[in-house]
Amino acid sequence: MPIVWLLVGIALMLVLNIVFKVNSMLALLLAAVVVALCNGMGPMETLKTVTTGFGSTLGSLAIIVVFGAVIGRLMVDSGASHVLASGLIRRFGLRFVRIAVIIIGLIFGLAMFYEVAFLMIAPLVISIAQEAKVPWLRLAIPAVCATTVAHSIFPPQPGPVALIDQYHADAGMVYLLGIPMAILWVIVGGVLLPKVLGNLERPVPKFMSGDKDDKEAAVNPPSFFISLIVPLSPAIIMISVTIANIWVDKESTLGQWLNFFGSSPVAMSVALVLAMLLFGIQRGHKGEWVMDKFNKAVSIIAGVVMIIGAGGAFKQVVIDSGIGDYIGGFMSAGAVSPYIMAWFITVLIRLATGQGVVSAMTAASIIGAAVMDPTTGVMQAGVDPTLLVLATAAGSNFMTHINDASFWLFKEYFDLSIKDTLKTWGGLLASGSLVSLAYVMCLSPFFG
């Protein structure tokens, strides 16, 4: 049965990745080849399917992911991130400091590679908590929650970009429906959770000893407005075009130009040009400085891009081997919601691998093939691609544990025990993930 060989392929990927520490891209490609061959595809047909899936997936995604990483790098090294953080805190004041750190977390998570965003926000929230005279974990939890949520749901981050491509979703709609979900997640995991965790008094982490940031301050940083508008510009462009499409005919000349600029690659390209000019050239930096930041960002993000491509290869195998049709029939016969199935499969793979992008891509390849016509790319009736993106994104951040690098990043930087890390980090993810799935299921009768 096709489903058996799919399970064998997933198991092989997990064993290679977890036990033998094989790179995720290689593990996905090997699993794709095994699934194809075991389902009766010939060697040359398998080769064509894998290469087609890999190449087509990276067609536009590579541009979006790489440009997003470069914008984040320029934001950090120009001092824009520091200007943004300090400006928001100054405007909100200590009384509403939790709202300020949540906004900072959302913007950092949207604009930067996750580890960079975390490493910037960790010392910042502890310093703010000391000034506000509150337990630092009460600010760290909502700040990290907001960063994680933004990173998991919204483009230009790699996971959401890949999901939008896999499900043929509209990026503007992902923002429009994803923003309420992000707010719910932050309220539950970042605001309500600390209230039920009891005493959150913990010693100041060791890395904060000395209480001073001895990094050299950026020279001539951009203004607060520029620091805010550049990382948000892709979202503003895509949301605006999605709304404009309500009144403008997409086939008209105006509609075609609007959707050209509202497409993810072009919106990210506009944001990149703004970042290079406003974070670089206008700040007095030479072109060599800007290109150095570009090259460093590309070197960091390259591995993620390759994993996304391998996920595309796995997806194509699921489609071409007929597994997708089999799973689609199974879901129809059993009346299993594709949103629940997408969330559940993603949760299982994330718990096993500890890798969000891998779990999301693998689940999307399975569910996408089951609910989408491989020829036209049209979803079956009653299934909404935007809700599939949100359900899969929610599943990719359910209760990560000791096999997840982010788990250890949170534990070590905040100097917590494994028990405390599971309560705080694990709790903010699990609670928000479940609420997000409920949100998707509540919307599902109205979309599709």
Side-chain angles (χ1 to χ4, degrees):
M1 287 189 354
I3 192 71
V4 173
W5 296 122
L6 174 63
L7 294 175
V8 168
I10 293 174
L12 174 63
M13 182 196 72
L14 298 181
V15 169
L16 289 172
N17 189 248
I18 298 170
V19 179
F20 295 103
K21 309 300 180 186
V22 174
N23 178 273
S24 297
M25 181 194 75
L26 294 177
L28 272 169
L29 288 175
L30 287 171
V33 170
V34 168
V35 171
L37 294 175
C38 290
N39 273 287
M41 295 177 69
M44 294 307 297
E45 185 183 5
T46 298
L47 177 62
K48 180 180 178 181
T49 292
V50 169
T51 53
T52 298
F54 194 100
S56 62
T57 299
L58 290 184
S60 60
L61 295 191
I63 296 173
I64 301 168
V65 174
V66 169
F67 284 9
V70 175
I71 292 168
R73 181 81 191 211
L74 288 168
M75 188 175 175
V76 173
D77 291 352
S78 68
S81 55
H82 177 74
V83 168
L84 182 62
S86 59
L88 284 170
I89 293 164
R90 187 168 58 253
R91 285 164 172 79
F92 279 91
L94 293 180
R95 183 180 178 185
F96 300 105
V97 69
R98 183 182 284 109
I99 297 175
V101 298
I102 287 172
I103 294 174
I104 294 168
L106 288 170
I107 296 173
F108 281 14
L110 184 70
M112 303 175 195
F113 202 56
Y114 183 77
E115 285 76 7
V116 176
F118 181 93
L119 294 175
M120 291 189 60
I121 208 166
L124 178 65
V125 295
I126 294 174
S127 298
I128 296 169
Q130 289 175 321
E131 186 175 346
K133 295 180 171 54
V134 298
W136 59 266
L137 262 178
R138 289 199 179 277
L139 294 186
I141 291 173
V144 173
C145 182
T147 302
T148 306
V149 168
H151 180 86
S152 305
I153 298 176
F154 303 116
Q157 295 301 336
V161 166
L163 292 179
I164 289 170
D165 183 77
Q166 286 273 38
Y167 292 134
H168 297 182
D170 179 85
M173 284 301 298
V174 170
Y175 275 108
L176 289 173
L177 296 184
I179 288 172
M181 186 174 108
I183 293 171
L184 274 175
W185 194 324
V186 172
I187 290 173
V188 172
V191 178
L192 297 181
L193 178 69
K195 295 182 183 296
V196 302
L197 288 180
N199 180 21
L200 290 176
E201 291 280 1
R202 297 292 187 280
V204 175
K206 296 173 184 175
F207 80 94
M208 285 293 291
S209 59
D211 204 18
K212 295 289 181 183
D213 183 8
D214 42 22
K215 291 182 181 178
E216 185 179 349
V219 177
N220 190 27
S223 68
F224 175 83
F225 176 77
I226 290 176
S227 301
L228 178 66
I229 205 68
V230 171
L232 293 182
S233 58
I236 294 170
I237 293 170
M238 288 186 278
I239 291 173
S240 299
V241 171
T242 298
I243 295 173
N245 281 331
I246 298 174
W247 297 283
V248 178
D249 180 7
K250 289 185 178 181
E251 300 303 319
S252 67
T253 302
L254 176 60
Q256 290 184 37
W257 277 107
L258 277 175
N259 285 280
F260 170 77
F261 284 105
S263 65
S264 297
V266 177
M268 284 304 302
S269 299
V270 171
L272 177 66
V273 172
L274 289 175
M276 294 172 76
L277 291 175
L278 300 179
F279 292 161
I281 304 301
Q282 196 179 67
R283 307 268 64 82
H285 299 293
K286 296 182 178 180
E288 290 83 354
W289 183 90
V290 174
M291 287 299 102
D292 178 63
K293 307 307 173 187
F294 190 104
N295 294 335
K296 288 179 179 177
V298 171
S299 65
I300 292 172
I301 202 68
V304 176
V305 173
M306 292 298 101
I307 291 172
I308 291 173
F314 194 94
K315 171 204 71 175
Q316 200 64 40
V317 166
V318 172
I319 293 172
D320 291 355
S321 65
I323 296 174
D325 294 335
Y326 183 87
I327 295 174
F330 172 76
M331 285 194 293
S332 299
V336 180
S337 166
Y339 309 122
I340 293 177
M341 184 73 81
W343 180 86
F344 182 68
I345 292 173
T346 312
V347 166
L348 292 181
I349 299 173
R350 179 67 195 260
L351 287 173
T353 65
Q355 298 188 42
V357 174
V358 172
S359 63
M361 286 294 298
T362 307
S365 68
I366 297 168
I367 300 300
V371 300
M372 189 183 299
D373 186 316
T375 305
T376 63
V378 176
M379 286 282 177
Q380 64 182 227
V383 181
D384 183 75
T386 301
L387 295 186
L388 277 178
V389 170
L390 298 181
T392 308
S396 70
N397 270 311
F398 178 82
M399 196 63 180
T400 66
H401 57 96
I402 58 174
N403 64 351
D404 177 18
S406 299
F407 176 94
W408 294 105
L409 187 64
F410 189 97
K411 176 189 180 300
E412 295 302 323
Y413 261 80
F414 289 142
D415 203 16
L416 300 173
S417 66
I418 288 182
K419 178 182 176 181
D420 278 344
T421 307
L422 287 170
K423 284 170 54 180
T424 53
W425 169 254
L428 72 87
L429 292 178
S431 59
S433 178
L434 289 168
V435 168
S436 297
L437 177 63
Y439 167 81
V440 169
M441 296 309 297
C442 288
L443 289 183
S444 61
F446 306 100
F447 291 85

